[in-house]
Amino acid sequence: MKFSKLFLIALSVSLFVSCSNDDESNEPKGIYDNGFFILNEGSSGQGTVSFSSDDFNAFTKDAYTTANGTDLLGKYAQNIFFDGDRAYIIAGGSNVINVVNRYTFKLIAKIETGLATPRYGVVKDGKAYVTNANTYSYINPTTGNTDDYVAVINLATNTVDTKIALNATANRILLENGKLYITEPYNNDKLLVINPSTNTLETPVTIGTSADCMDVKDGVLYILRSPSSDRSEIVKVKLSDKTTSKITFPEALDGAGYLDIYNDKVYYTVSNSVYAINSSATTASTTAIVTAASVANLYGFAVNNNRIYMADSGNYTSDSKAYIYNFNGVLEKELMVGIAPNGFYFNN
Amino acid sequence: MTLKKRFAFCFLFLCQILLAQQDSILNLKEVIVADKNLKKYSNSQSVLKLSDSVINKNAALLTNLLNFNSSIYFKEYGRGMLSTVSFRGTTSSQTAVIWNGININSQMNGSTDFNTISGSDYNSVSVKAGGGSVIYGSGAVGGTVHLNNDMSFYNRFENNLKLDYGSFNTIGINYKTNISNEKWSTQIGFSKNSSTNDYKYLNRYTWRGEQRWNQNGQYDVITMSANLGYKFDTKNSLKLYSQTSNTDRNTSLVSENETKSKYINGFNRNLLEYNGDFGKLTTNFKTAYIFENYQYFADNTRKDFTYGKTESLITKVDLGYRLFKSVEINGILDYNRTKGYGSGFGSHVREISSASLLIKQDVSKDWKNEFGIRKEFTDNYKSPILFSLGSSYQFSKLYNLKFNFSRNFRIPTYNDLYWEEGGNPDLKPENSYQTEIGNVFTFKNLSLTQTFYYIKINDLLQWVPGQNGIWSPQNTNKVRSYGTETILGWKKQFDKNYFAANATYAYTISENIDTKKQLFFVPFHKITGAISYSRNNISANYQILYNGFVYTRADNDPNEIIDAYLISNIGIDYDFKFLDSFKLGIQVLNLFNQEYESLEDRPMPGRNFNMYLTLKF
């Protein structure tokens, strides 16, 4: 008894020591440290995850299969979220979340029950909150647009604890200041708000339809919306009082795609061009800082490490490419990744 | 004499018939074939006929029969699941399936699922390689598969019952009765083939270390057929063919937690045919009503489904006239009205008329020419003029040379034209030019058919993603397909021992003309082989199938392939000579427990067993 306690203490001390060592020397924790993942949705086949080191010297096209052999990641890989040393890869078409070590990509567990077309996830206090599209209205006209839910997953056991019914559609989810915010572009004109301490919905904020991408800065949520027959705009929601303001884009920027905030700037895309404005700006910029001529259909977008990351959907039947630009609009790297790359995730 | 001639004919073109037992050969004399033009206008092409005795030796669903006995390549979404073909390197909608002379490819997606058809519902299944659009219309580009119910007009009362029981609760009940005299002919058939299909995936385990198996793969295919023929006199006869089928299948899961879905599809086909034979003039009228439908349950725990239905009315007038002793012509008028409605494509009617002219010239006993031309008229698309010309010359007993050149097409389907969203009403038909040279060598008990072909396909339809993420079909690609087909047949009798061997080999290059890449899911090599032995009451057979590797992607990524595989089956049966025939047999399928799949992440079963009982009375 005493011996085992002693052993445990010794073990935790050694872990602590090794951790702090890592922090000091910044030694990589695995082959996938100090780089970024490109999530490839897949099409008729399985989704894949590609990895590139930040200096582009190391590249793995299919990190999951490299680490886990014949195990199937799942169809329609949608999102990756992280918690501690773990990465959670959502495969929406297979109703599964793969739990892997984010530095080695070795499979730890799978979350296999309680999910129905899972989309995006965030983590708060040992629990993951994952939006589930559940059934779609073209199959289920009666409740397809009201049966979406958030699965609350206990990350210690990797099981779904509860489901928060939304009575609306849900897609992207964001955690800020203890609250969860959810958008969905096709059938929802509201920003849903959830209090995770009670797992209840709070009063939603009406933002308009076709709102998907969002990011947060200084207590303000920036939501990009692009209605098919109207001007695109950024809706700013002040989270403290849920008041909204707008930056309406000129017609030249119709059909805006993605939004990301990095340092003090809001970056947004139209077709294959990237624009940037200060977070305090009240009007849109129409001068592209980058135009990725090779990108036919922008499918994934991120700004990080003083770089702009863009992915082309390709034709969904063969491998496509990711392009990394610097802020001067110079292409730094072109990477051949998997089928339909749809997102970038940074592992530092 | 006549019999001998017929036999020689069969031997040349239909080498598989060699496997047929004595009774089938006798039947040839008295049987009236369902699709006259198949025999009449295919002298210059190669036709592989699989008789009922071959059909009986293979697993029930048509995929198995054709996969092991022809050069057609199959792609199966797991055992018993959706099964599509590639013939001579073409796409799945470029092989037309013909039921008693009527094209039955789906109006909705253009192709036929070969796992929804039971071979035993037909007297014979023939595989005709090469173009046939002049006679059979849309989709007869790579080749045609003919499902025929030939009727006999002689005193006959015969029942066939085959019962199967095999691994994974695979159950087959196939019953057929033939009742006929010189005036009447009746065939009634019933088939039911089902399986829980819960086979283990060889050497595949979940992350928890549990054995993986084929989940949600159960199927049940039921077909009922009734065919009736009446001969008014030697000149006039009337035939009615009717068939109803329902396939109820779940769709097997790729990974364990996918939503379980279900697909139900069925058809009802009715064909009324009048034949008049007035010496120089022959007449043939056909009226057919064909109904097909599907229901897809994306989640089979729910009642919600998407669906599609089409109803087609086809009328055909075929007038034949013997101009000279050596020249026959056929003029054919055809009208086809299809009404389609579904959750994916709304409701649309399309009408297609066509006129065609076929000429056959027998210059001599050894030299035969054929020529055909066809033009379709419709508002839906611009239709090219189709033609076919061919010649066959028998140089000697040993050697027959054949040549054929044709233009064929495949029309856009309901999905292509009307799918919401993405359907493109401005599509052109796919069209192709095809040329082939066939060499048929016959030496004693051995026959060898070697065909070289070249196909150029223009305006290949392909669904491509658009700017806004909506997929839409376009006439984008040009494809060049060429290769060789070899069919070998051999038969020998030593005393009471009967030996027969058959083999096919297809070498196929099918490349996108712009990219020079091989089309995905077209193997360079496919080989089939079968040997059979019988003596007294015992017969045994052994089959092999080799499929070369296929690319799964358009860019021919060498890392994304389905590996080649070689599988074999062995079967033995004993005839207790009770009733007319009372055979008890056992088959071992995938004898060497080969791990294989024809589509990525869809493993096929390892070694499995089937027992059967065949009764004739």
Side-chain angles (χ1 to χ4, degrees):
Chain A
M1 191 69 182
K2 270 187 178 171
F3 176 75
S4 62
K5 256 188 187 167
L6 205 68
F7 179 73
L8 270 178
I9 291 163
L11 191 73
S12 53
V13 166
S14 75
L15 276 175
F16 183 73
V17 169
S18 66
C19 280
S20 55
N21 271 351
D22 275 356
D23 288 342
E24 280 164 28
S25 68
N26 203 20
E27 264 180 27
K29 295 175 181 172
I31 48 173
Y32 300 129
D33 199 2
N34 299 321
F36 59 96
F37 297 111
I38 304 106
L39 184 62
N40 306 298
E41 193 168 284
S43 181
S44 57
Q46 303 284 299
T48 58
V49 183
S50 304
F51 171 84
S52 170
S53 60
D54 287 331
D55 58 11
F56 308 121
N57 287 330
F59 179 75
T60 307
K61 188 161 162 285
D62 186 349
Y64 189 82
T65 304
T66 304
N68 301 304
T70 57
D71 190 75
L72 301 174
L73 179 120
K75 276 186 166 183
Y76 305 129
Q78 187 61 44
N79 179 229
I80 302 177
F81 59 90
F82 300 97
D83 183 45
D85 281 354
R86 293 181 174 191
Y88 298 81
I89 310 157
I90 300 178
S94 299
N95 301 323
V96 71
I97 300 175
N98 302 283
V99 185
V100 300
N101 180 301
R102 68 191 285 179
Y103 303 112
T104 63
F105 249 56
K106 284 278 182 209
L107 183 67
I108 296 164
K110 284 179 189 249
I111 301 162
E112 297 179 299
T113 50
L115 304 171
T117 317
R119 299 290 298 172
Y120 291 86
V122 291
V123 174
K124 182 181 187 300
D125 302 334
K127 285 190 173 161
Y129 296 83
V130 176
T131 54
N132 284 258
N134 208 346
T135 63
Y136 288 104
S137 61
Y138 76 96
I139 293 285
N140 171 17
T142 40
T143 58
N145 283 342
T146 51
D147 65 2
D148 295 19
Y149 63 89
V150 170
V152 184
I153 300 165
N154 181 338
L155 296 182
T157 58
N158 289 315
T159 50
V160 174
D161 270 355
T162 46
K163 294 176 184 177
I164 307 169
L166 299 175
N167 199 31
T169 50
N171 193 43
R172 291 191 192 254
I173 186 165
L174 183 143
L175 171 73
E176 177 64 14
N177 203 18
K179 295 272 173 72
L180 303 170
Y181 298 93
I182 296 169
T183 57
E184 196 281 328
Y186 298 110
N187 298 292
N188 199 347
D189 65 351
K190 293 186 175 65
L191 175 73
L192 305 181
V193 186
I194 290 177
N195 183 343
S197 56
T198 57
N199 286 344
T200 50
L201 281 163
E202 295 190 348
T203 314
V205 184
T206 300
I207 49 173
T209 57
S210 309
D212 195 23
C213 265
M214 55 183 162
D215 206 346
V216 68
K217 180 159 178 69
D218 301 333
V220 176
L221 195 61
Y222 294 71
I223 307 167
L224 183 67
R225 59 181 289 262
S226 49
S228 57
S229 54
D230 205 350
R231 303 293 80 76
S232 301
E233 58 189 25
I234 291 172
V235 180
K236 295 203 268 187
V237 181
K238 197 174 167 194
L239 297 178
S240 56
D241 58 7
K242 293 181 182 173
T243 55
T244 61
S245 59
K246 285 177 185 178
I247 303 172
T248 302
F249 290 6
E251 193 172 352
L253 299 183
D254 274 5
Y258 301 87
L259 173 144
D260 199 5
I261 297 176
Y262 179 66
N263 292 338
D264 285 332
K265 283 190 169 156
V266 179
Y267 297 82
Y268 56 89
T269 70
V270 177
S271 184
N272 54 6
S273 293
V274 182
Y275 304 82
I277 52 173
N278 277 317
S279 57
S280 56
T282 52
T283 56
S285 160
T286 54
T287 311
I289 57 165
V290 168
T291 294
S294 307
V295 174
N297 181 31
L298 185 63
Y299 208 55
F301 172 72
V303 183
N304 205 339
N305 299 328
N306 293 317
R307 285 168 173 161
I308 296 167
Y309 298 78
M310 299 168 85
D312 186 4
S313 74
N315 59 7
Y316 305 91
T317 56
S318 50
D319 290 338
S320 192
K321 284 179 178 171
Y323 301 85
I324 294 99
Y325 287 85
N326 67 19
F327 284 150
N328 299 322
V330 177
L331 181 65
E332 289 193 344
K333 190 69 184 177
E334 193 178 306
L335 296 167
M336 182 65 98
V337 291
I339 287 181
N342 65 8
F344 297 90
Y345 301 91
F346 300 90
N347 207 27
N348 293 307
Chain B
M1 189 62 189
T2 330
L3 177 68
K4 212 175 176 184
K5 255 191 200 163
R6 292 246 185 200
F7 188 63
F9 173 83
C10 296
F11 201 79
L12 286 176
F13 306 118
L14 322 167
C15 73
Q16 279 283 348
I17 195 111
L18 295 179
L19 281 175
Q21 305 272 320
Q22 201 70 15
D23 54 0
S24 309
I25 294 170
L26 284 175
N27 285 351
L28 276 176
K29 267 212 306 189
E30 290 115 334
V31 164
I32 294 181
V33 295
D35 177 12
K36 277 188 176 169
N37 287 335
L38 173 61
K39 244 176 194 175
K40 204 165 165 186
Y41 289 101
S42 55
N43 285 319
S44 63
Q45 288 173 298
S46 107
V47 180
L48 181 72
K49 184 173 176 180
L50 307 171
S51 67
D52 51 359
S53 64
V54 180
I55 294 170
N56 272 333
K57 279 181 189 155
N58 286 274
L61 301 178
L62 209 54
T63 299
N64 297 290
L65 175 71
L66 297 177
N67 208 357
F68 276 95
N69 294 283
S70 79
S71 54
I72 302 177
Y73 165 74
F74 282 85
K75 184 171 88 174
E76 265 185 293
Y77 288 68
R79 177 183 183 262
M81 300 290 109
L82 173 68
S83 167
T84 58
V85 295
S86 170
F87 200 168
R88 288 191 167 175
T90 62
T91 66
S92 63
S93 47
Q94 291 170 346
T95 296
V97 177
I98 313 296
W99 173 70
N100 293 311
I102 300 280
N103 188 325
I104 54 163
N105 273 17
S106 166
Q107 297 284 337
M108 290 180 272
N109 62 30
S111 60
T112 291
D113 178 351
F114 285 77
N115 273 335
T116 63
I117 298 173
S118 306
S120 67
D121 293 324
Y122 311 95
N123 303 120
S124 68
V125 175
S126 296
V127 177
K128 180 174 173 243
S133 283
V134 167
I135 299 178
Y136 298 109
S138 174
V141 178
T144 44
V145 173
H146 300 262
L147 313 173
N148 284 335
N149 294 102
D150 302 334
M151 286 193 194
S152 53
F153 286 94
Y154 61 101
N155 282 327
R156 183 183 188 196
F157 176 63
E158 202 178 276
N159 293 282
N160 287 278
L161 177 65
K162 187 176 184 229
L163 300 170
D164 288 88
Y165 182 75
S167 306
F168 334 121
N169 297 308
T170 304
I171 296 167
I173 304 167
N174 296 279
Y175 171 73
K176 199 160 46 183
T177 179
N178 286 285
I179 308 164
S180 61
N181 59 25
E182 277 155 19
K183 278 217 170 286
W184 289 94
S185 181
T186 310
Q187 291 177 1
I188 293 167
F190 170 81
S191 69
K192 177 180 163 69
N193 292 287
S194 65
S195 175
T196 54
N197 212 15
D198 48 355
Y199 57 89
K200 286 176 181 166
Y201 294 162
L202 294 176
N203 304 320
R204 306 235 179 162
Y205 302 92
T206 67
W207 67 281
R208 294 179 199 271
E210 296 153 348
Q211 171 70 52
R212 296 194 60 218
W213 54 281
N214 191 44
Q215 296 194 36
N216 204 47
Q218 47 269 60
Y219 65 79
D220 188 5
V221 186
I222 299 176
T223 306
M224 282 181 287
S225 329
N227 308 315
L228 187 67
Y230 180 69
K231 264 173 122 171
F232 293 94
D233 48 45
T234 51
K235 290 174 180 160
N236 300 287
S237 66
L238 202 60
K239 286 183 271 183
L240 177 68
Y241 302 88
S242 180
Q243 198 173 44
T244 301
S245 175
N246 187 67
T247 299
D248 189 342
R249 266 184 306 191
N250 289 5
T251 49
S252 106
L253 303 184
V254 170
S255 63
E256 278 67 19
N257 307 297
E258 287 172 1
T259 307
K260 290 176 177 170
S261 61
K262 180 167 82 171
Y263 192 84
I264 298 176
N265 66 295
F267 60 78
N268 175 252
R269 299 169 187 150
N270 300 282
L271 167 63
L272 185 66
E273 183 177 4
Y274 162 79
N275 271 300
D277 192 348
F278 309 102
K280 284 188 170 180
L281 178 74
T282 58
T283 59
N284 176 281
F285 296 103
K286 277 183 177 145
T287 302
Y289 168 80
I290 303 206
F291 171 80
E292 59 161 322
N293 75 314
Y294 79 84
Q295 290 177 311
Y296 174 66
F297 296 78
D299 178 347
N300 67 10
T301 61
R302 304 182 55 87
K303 283 181 179 160
D304 312 304
F305 59 86
T306 53
Y307 73 97
K309 292 178 190 181
T310 63
E311 293 174 277
S312 301
L313 179 73
I314 301 159
T315 54
K316 224 180 206 180
V317 182
D318 181 340
L319 295 175
Y321 191 74
R322 186 175 287 277
L323 274 181
F324 311 105
K325 204 181 168 192
S326 62
V327 179
E328 269 184 82
I329 62 167
N330 283 72
I332 302 167
L333 290 173
D334 186 314
Y335 169 75
N336 186 331
R337 184 178 195 272
T338 300
K339 187 179 173 210
Y341 40 109
S343 45
F345 51 77
S347 175
H348 299 272
V349 172
R350 92 171 167 191
E351 291 177 288
I352 304 167
S353 306
S354 79
S356 40
L357 183 71
L358 309 173
I359 303 172
K360 176 182 151 84
Q361 181 200 24
D362 292 355
V363 181
S364 67
K365 194 165 66 81
D366 296 326
W367 187 16
K368 290 170 179 166
N369 295 316
E370 51 202 30
F371 172 75
I373 186 161
R374 173 182 178 127
K375 169 76 183 157
E376 283 200 347
F377 308 95
T378 178
D379 296 337
N380 296 81
Y381 48 84
K382 273 188 187 161
S383 186
I385 291 175
L386 309 173
F387 63 83
S388 164
L389 54 101
S391 185
S392 164
Y393 191 79
Q394 184 85 38
F395 282 89
S396 68
K397 272 188 179 173
L398 275 178
Y399 177 55
N400 179 201
L401 176 68
K402 297 173 177 194
F403 166 80
N404 186 275
F405 178 58
S406 63
R407 188 175 194 204
N408 307 288
F409 79 151
R410 197 276 277 191
I411 64 174
T413 64
Y414 266 74
N415 289 355
D416 295 332
L417 294 168
Y418 308 123
W419 192 259
E420 292 161 5
E421 296 169 283
N424 178 357
D426 301 320
L427 292 170
K428 290 180 276 188
E430 298 172 342
N431 72 91
S432 78
Y433 289 97
Q434 172 159 184
T435 184
E436 66 179 81
I437 293 171
N439 300 286
V440 184
F441 303 93
T442 314
F443 180 69
K444 287 188 176 168
N445 299 319
L446 191 70
S447 81
L448 173 72
T449 306
Q450 176 110 44
T451 310
F452 301 91
Y453 64 87
Y454 180 93
I455 309 174
K456 183 169 183 254
I457 302 170
N458 297 314
D459 296 323
L460 194 74
L461 286 177
Q462 195 181 13
W463 284 73
V464 287
Q467 268 299 329
N468 40 8
I470 294 169
W471 292 61
S472 186
Q474 306 290 342
N475 292 102
T476 47
N477 290 334
K478 288 182 180 160
V479 170
R480 169 167 48 216
S481 195
Y482 57 96
T484 66
E485 284 159 355
T486 308
I487 304 175
L488 193 68
W490 174 78
K491 196 187 119 166
K492 186 84 182 168
Q493 180 187 355
F494 299 104
D495 207 11
K496 282 182 175 173
N497 304 290
Y498 293 85
F499 293 92
N502 293 278
T504 71
Y505 168 63
Y507 172 70
T508 312
I509 301 281
S510 183
E511 62 181 24
N512 182 310
I513 288 177
D514 297 325
T515 65
K516 304 277 186 274
K517 304 284 187 190
Q518 177 88 347
L519 293 200
F520 50 66
F521 291 105
V522 175
F524 292 102
H525 305 281
K526 184 189 169 184
I527 300 168
T528 69
I531 49 170
S532 64
Y533 166 76
S534 67
R535 182 193 166 97
N536 298 334
N537 296 357
I538 288 187
S539 70
N541 70 85
Y542 179 72
Q543 296 177 314
I544 61 153
L545 165 64
Y546 173 82
N547 250 318
F549 84 91
V550 292
Y551 292 113
T552 62
R553 294 198 188 166
D555 60 0
N556 288 187
D557 182 339
N559 298 315
E560 301 291 341
I561 62 167
I562 305 284
D563 288 329
Y565 54 87
L566 175 71
I567 48 175
S568 55
N569 303 329
I570 193 163
I572 185 161
D573 63 42
Y574 185 84
D575 191 343
F576 290 91
K577 297 275 175 176
F578 172 65
L579 303 170
D580 289 346
S581 166
F582 189 103
K583 280 184 192 169
L584 185 65
I586 184 157
Q587 290 167 312
V588 185
L589 308 169
N590 192 2
L591 181 63
F592 297 110
N593 210 26
Q594 172 75 31
E595 193 181 329
Y596 76 106
E597 57 191 16
S598 67
L599 199 63
E600 63 229 280
D601 305 322
R602 298 214 175 253
M604 295 294 278
R607 184 184 302 118
N608 64 98
F609 303 90
N610 183 45
M611 285 186 306
Y612 62 92
L613 188 65
T614 311
L615 280 76
K616 280 187 183 175
F617 54 98

